[in-house]
């Protein structure tokens, strides 16, 4: 089974701000690993390094033994698809110009799925996977609720058939009433698809319920979960 | 967008049909009937060598409008190309390209065009080329600013994560997103280019006689202002209408882009969907 993610001593600075200060972690295939920490402690930056949107000053990220930070060109594009990100803010993570169907079709097009019929079929499957009706494909993001948008964000990430899914506070911008729904969608997916999940949040209870294991982060470093809970 | 479509459509129609509707050829002279006032045979009268003023005006529509369209198309495509490269490459490439546009933007377009024409010589083709070279930097600057703003949006980053190439992102997301604001700018710019074409032709650097062009007609007829004012007034009116039309259209698009509050019905629908 694929999806072993190893983060090895990653450091990220923005000018004088040390955002990530030597983080190492190990995500086993099929595992849900929770990562909690206060706002500003470097969670998003770490997530961006893992998916390759941010280049660390030092440290490496391995997916099934391959160093992602060293990849370039076509190989980089190919491997990077296997690590997907669910963004914190579902609003800005969907193009306002595209319909939901077009948004979900794009990863299929990039991956080279030629047949239109196949793509339409796959879009319907993806919508179903996150518990949304196929009729949503013709809508634009503005016509959707926050919870629906975040499910589209999840579906888009899954369209690339990732081995690792990094979720950056996937429900923190949503109303309390729909948080549980969206969390359940994520948990069901782990059982249905072989995907490892790094679940980032500052809501400790939610992460503890959902995760196999929880790490705590503070000021750019990892500590034990106990410490983090005590400080609360 | 509708306002622009209508204005541009009307002008395109005029450019297309104008010459077909003209009762005479634009260079059809008649020395027996020079500088005559409006009559049934010559609705707008004749000029100093007896050419039908209405026919010349109608032919000039095609000249004016097609030169403006060419200048805009060239400046817009080249500007957006340069702006995209600067925004996507960043670093030294961005630095160099933007310094060049800054310098070009600091000099009035007409001065740049005059300098280029001084070098290349007069003529319609050279004028179109010179005005393109003068006009592109504004499009480069505008599209560069817009692309820098949106290229970091999460929805663009999500496409990067799909393994898409830069050219894919440019084609599918960035260029379509900048095209709206760039077209708004272009409609406002069109009025200015109309005036530049008229000015350069008036200076003898652009459209060459006997090919009719409104600006050049206006100027060469200026000497008859006292006796036959309509020879000056009508080309002037045509130019004014064209400039106002473009400015009006540009303003409409700009206003259309200001977000309006949601209607009660849209709000209710959204609320219902949020609960569903
Ligand atoms: N692009 C950036 N430029 C400068 N500083 C940044 C940038 N991204 C994050 N930071 C800083 O890095 C620190 C960690 O931010 P972030 O990773 O977003 O934390 P979290 O997701 O845990 O709230 C913060 O102090 C933040 O201000
Ligand atoms: Mg964050």
């Amino acid at each position: 089974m694929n999806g072993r993610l190893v983060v090895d001593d990653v450091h990220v600075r923005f000018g004088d701000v040390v955002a990530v200060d030597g983080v190492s972690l190990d995500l086993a295939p099929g595992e849900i690993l929770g990562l909690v920490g206060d706002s500003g402690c470097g969670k998003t930056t770490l997530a961006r390094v893992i998916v390759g949107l941010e280049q660390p000053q030092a440290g490496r990220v391995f997916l099934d033994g391959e160093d992602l930070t060293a990849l370039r060109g076509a190989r980089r594009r190919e491997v990077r698809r296997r690590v997907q990100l669910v963004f914190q803010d579902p609003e800005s993570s969907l193009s306002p110009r595209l319909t939901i169907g077009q948004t979900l079709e794009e990863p299929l097009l990039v991956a080279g799925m030629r047949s239109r019929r196949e793509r339409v079929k796959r879009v319907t499957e993806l919508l179903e996977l996150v518990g949304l009706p196929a009729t949503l494909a013709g809508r634009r993001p503005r016509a959707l609720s926050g919870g629906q948008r975040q499910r589209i964000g999840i579906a888009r990430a899954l369209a690339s058939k990732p081995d690792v899914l990094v979720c950056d506070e996937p429900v923190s911008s949503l109303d309390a009433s729909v948080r549980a729904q969206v969390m359940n969608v994520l948990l069901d997916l782990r059982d249905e698809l072989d995907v490892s999940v790094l679940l980032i949040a500052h809501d400790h209870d939610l992460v503890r319920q959902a995760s196999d294991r929880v790490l705590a982060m503070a000021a750019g470093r990892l500590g034990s979960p106990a410490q983090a809970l005590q400080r609360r | 967008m509708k306002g622009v479509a209508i204005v541009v459509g009307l002008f395109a129609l005029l450019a297309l049909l104008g010459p077909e509707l003209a009762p005479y050829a634009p260079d059809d002279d008649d020395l027996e009937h020079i500088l005559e006032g409006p009559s049934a045979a010559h609705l707008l009268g004749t000029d100093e060598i007896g050419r039908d003023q209405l026919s010349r005006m109608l032919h000039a529509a095609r000249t004016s409008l097609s030169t403006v369209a060419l200048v805009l198309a060239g400046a817009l495509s080249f500007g957006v190309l340069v702006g995209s490269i600067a925004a996507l490459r960043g670093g030294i490439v961005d630095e160099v390209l933007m310094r060049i546009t800054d310098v070009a933007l600091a000099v009035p377009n007409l001065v740049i065009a005059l300098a280029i024409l001084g070098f290349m010589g007069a003529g319609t083709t050279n004028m179109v080329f010179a005005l393109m070279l003068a006009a592109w930097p504004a499009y480069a600057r505008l599209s560069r600013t817009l692309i820098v703003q949106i290229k970091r949006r999460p929805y663009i980053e999500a496409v990067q994560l799909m393994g898409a190439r830069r050219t894919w992102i440019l084609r599918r997301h960035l260029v379509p997103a900048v095209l709206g604001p760039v077209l708004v700018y272009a409609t406002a710019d069109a009025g200015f280019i109309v005036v530049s074409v008229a000015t350069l032709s008036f200076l003898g650097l652009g459209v060459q006689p006997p090919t009719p062009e409104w600006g050049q007609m206006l100027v060469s007829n200026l000497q008859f202002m006292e006796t036959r004012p309509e020879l000056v007034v009508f080309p002037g009116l045509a130019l004014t209408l064209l400039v106002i039309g473009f400015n009006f259209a540009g303003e409409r698009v700009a206003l259309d882009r200001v977000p309006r509050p949601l209607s009660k019905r849209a709000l209710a629908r959204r609320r219902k969907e949020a609960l569903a």
Side-chain angles (χ1 to χ4, degrees):
Chain A
M1 194 172 164
N2 287 332
R4 162 162 254 111
L5 183 84
V6 177
V7 174
D8 179 25
D9 200 24
V10 163
H11 291 257
V12 183
R13 275 189 323 271
F14 296 109
D16 290 340
V17 179
V18 179
V20 178
D21 190 17
V23 168
S24 302
L25 56 81
D26 188 338
L27 175 64
E31 185 184 24
I32 297 192
L33 176 60
L35 180 68
V36 297
D38 291 333
S39 157
C41 73
K43 304 182 298 295
T44 296
T45 307
L46 179 64
R48 292 173 60 84
V49 168
I50 291 173
V51 301
L53 287 173
E54 204 82 64
Q55 201 61 35
Q57 265 89 34
R60 289 178 297 177
V61 178
F62 296 92
L63 177 64
D64 297 322
E66 192 158 10
D67 182 358
L68 298 180
T69 54
L71 293 175
R72 295 290 173 266
R75 179 77 187 143
R76 175 184 161 89
R77 288 197 297 274
E78 198 182 310
V79 176
R80 135 183 260 186
R81 290 221 309 271
R82 295 171 46 204
V83 187
Q84 289 293 315
L85 177 65
V86 175
F87 292 84
Q88 176 169 357
D89 174 24
E91 170 110 43
S92 60
S93 68
L94 298 180
S95 168
R97 297 182 40 261
L98 299 185
T99 64
I100 299 307
Q102 289 169 326
T103 291
L104 293 180
E105 207 182 3
E106 188 158 24
L108 309 176
L109 281 166
V110 171
M113 193 186 273
R114 290 275 166 74
S115 147
R116 208 185 117 75
R117 275 247 307 283
E118 250 178 84
R119 291 198 306 265
V120 171
K121 188 164 145 259
R122 180 85 180 115
V123 165
T124 313
E125 279 171 15
L126 286 164
L127 284 168
E128 202 177 306
L129 208 56
V130 294
L132 292 174
T135 51
L136 236 51
R139 301 283 195 86
R140 267 169 229 283
R142 344 181 253 177
L144 269 56
S145 68
Q148 289 174 323
R149 282 184 206 152
Q150 193 55 299
R151 292 189 211 197
I152 300 298
I154 296 168
R156 175 183 52 197
L158 294 173
S160 296
K161 298 214 160 123
D163 296 316
V164 176
L165 194 59
V166 180
C167 302
D168 186 10
E169 306 201 30
V171 296
S172 63
S173 68
L174 305 179
D175 290 342
S177 56
V178 292
R179 283 188 183 174
Q181 282 175 20
V182 173
M183 279 307 293
N184 284 336
V185 167
L186 272 174
L187 295 184
D188 289 348
L189 290 175
R190 197 269 302 254
D191 299 335
E192 278 180 50
L193 316 166
D194 292 333
V195 60
S196 330
V197 178
L198 178 63
L199 182 57
I200 298 176
H202 62 241
D203 185 329
H204 297 220
D205 295 337
L206 215 118
V207 171
R208 279 210 305 170
Q209 276 170 29
S211 308
D212 302 319
R213 188 156 63 97
V214 180
L215 297 173
M217 194 167 172
R221 293 166 186 264
L222 289 185
S224 75
Q227 282 171 338
L229 288 175
Q230 268 166 16
R231 274 193 300 114
R232 240 187 126 188
Chain B
M1 251 6 205
K2 224 196 250 161
V4 176
I6 292 173
V7 170
V8 172
L10 279 178
F11 287 146
L13 208 65
L14 186 62
L16 214 63
L17 297 181
E20 310 303 325
L21 297 175
Y24 300 90
D27 51 357
D28 194 357
D29 55 7
D30 178 1
L31 295 175
E32 311 268 286
H33 303 276
I34 62 168
L35 292 171
E36 281 184 355
S39 65
H42 302 284
L43 287 176
L44 293 181
T46 58
D47 67 5
E48 84 271 27
I49 52 171
R51 293 176 298 195
D52 181 54
Q53 174 80 349
L54 177 63
S55 301
R56 286 182 63 72
M57 292 270 308
L58 288 170
H59 277 274
R62 185 177 287 179
T63 319
S64 295
L65 290 163
S66 58
T67 45
V68 171
L70 276 176
V71 170
L72 276 183
L76 197 150
S77 351
F78 188 64
V80 171
L81 180 72
V82 171
S84 314
I85 292 174
L88 290 188
R89 288 271 147 177
I92 184 81
V93 177
D94 185 22
E95 248 343 277
V96 170
L97 289 176
M98 285 305 111
R99 283 304 82 78
I100 296 174
T101 60
D102 281 345
V103 171
L105 281 172
V107 184
N109 283 7
L110 212 49
V111 174
I112 300 181
L114 279 172
I116 297 170
L117 284 174
F119 186 72
M120 291 179 33
T124 307
T125 317
N126 287 357
M127 175 192 66
V128 166
F129 188 69
L131 285 174
M132 270 181 201
L133 280 181
W136 70 267
Y139 296 91
R141 184 43 71 220
L142 179 62
S143 50
R144 186 249 178 210
T145 307
L146 291 166
I147 290 178
V148 164
Q149 270 172 24
I150 52 177
K151 76 167 185 178
R152 296 222 172 277
R153 300 244 168 104
Y155 72 84
I156 300 289
E157 292 184 331
V159 184
Q160 271 174 270
L161 292 184
M162 293 168 196
R165 292 164 177 280
R166 264 200 283 218
T167 46
W168 172 281
I169 296 177
L170 192 65
R171 193 160 43 84
R172 288 224 352 156
H173 295 275
L174 301 177
V175 168
V178 303
L179 222 49
V182 163
L183 284 175
V184 173
Y185 185 83
T187 15
D189 208 15
F192 176 77
I193 292 170
V194 171
V195 176
S196 306
V197 168
T199 311
L200 291 173
S201 303
F202 148 75
L203 293 173
L205 293 170
V207 179
Q208 300 293 310
T211 308
E213 193 279 330
W214 291 332
Q216 172 235 89
M217 283 169 74
L218 185 150
V219 173
S220 59
N221 291 340
L222 217 49
Q223 47 183 320
F224 311 115
M225 183 69 191
E226 306 269 304
T227 44
R228 286 273 161 263
E230 64 271 17
L231 289 182
V232 178
V233 170
F234 284 104
L237 211 57
L239 277 175
T240 312
L241 281 179
L242 190 57
V243 174
I244 290 178
F246 277 126
N247 284 349
F248 166 78
E251 195 169 299
R252 276 254 38 102
V253 197
L255 285 177
D256 280 351
R257 302 184 66 81
V258 178
R260 265 168 297 219
L262 282 177
S263 69
K264 277 215 179 93
R265 202 139 58 88
L267 266 179
R269 184 160 57 86
R270 202 177 271 199
R271 222 174 264 139
K272 217 166 71 200
E273 276 172 356
L275 294 175

